[in-house]
Amino acid sequence: MKRRITNYKCNTIPNPNPKFQFQIVVNDEDAAYPITIDPLSSTPSWTAEINQASAKFGWSVATAGDVNGDGYSEVIVGAPYYDNGQTDEGGVFVYHGSISGLSLTPNWTKEINQANALFGWSVATAGDLNGDGYSDVIIGSPTYDSVQTDEGRAYVYNGSASGLEAEIRWQYETNQTGEKLRIQRSMRRGY
């Protein structure tokens, strides 16, 4: 017999969208009672850091999909206040998945080389945009300056057998001063 726990209510964090519900399905057919259900591990299976104060590493985190076609998903992490030559240019770090878990060091990194661009404010998988069998990623830089100040820009990088390519495959900007183009909120921090 399967038991369902539905409409779980968390008293400390209100649910801003009641149409989304929490549900756990447990197969208790051969279980000994009482059953303890602990869906979350108290010990992380992987952690990463970049050892730079105020870089906001982890501001945005998402699956990158399988960017190298090895059958394992990758993780993409944004650090919009990362500095590496320019103040708050931002940086993005991709960690490849494997049978043993995520890599301990980033397999792909990218920065934008423009002060205050906040590259990596938002990160997400873009799916397989070009149909080559590898996942692609999209990255937001809301205060990137091109022709206009703070117009923002979105970037797509394609996956390949060796991982994400170094070159930008698609980019979009608004050409509106102060527009601060952002990838929709649902792509930022998993919302």
Side-chain angles (χ1 to χ4, degrees), residues 121-122 140 142-143 151 179-185:
W121 181 274
S122 49
T143 51
E151 65 182 292
E179 184 65 21
K180 298 182 180 176
L181 173 70
R182 296 184 187 181
I183 300 172
Q184 76 182 77
R185 181 181 166 109

Side-chain angles (χ1 to χ4, degrees), residues 93-114:
F93 306 82
V94 173
Y95 297 84
H96 288 182
S98 71
I99 194 166
S100 59
L102 291 169
S103 57
L104 299 177
T105 57
N107 301 92
W108 184 87
T109 62
K110 189 56 81 173
E111 58 193 66
I112 210 60
N113 296 321
Q114 183 183 98

Side-chain angles (χ1 to χ4, degrees), residues 117-134:
L118 304 180
F119 182 71
W121 181 274
S122 49
V123 297
T125 182
D128 182 5
L129 295 174
N130 58 356
D132 64 356
Y134 303 103

Side-chain angles (χ1 to χ4, degrees), residues 67 108 110 130 132 156-169:
V67 301
W108 184 87
K110 189 56 81 173
N130 58 356
D132 64 356
V156 169
Y157 293 87
N158 287 351
S160 71
S162 59
L164 290 174
E165 296 176 350
E167 297 300 316
I168 300 164
R169 292 299 169 204

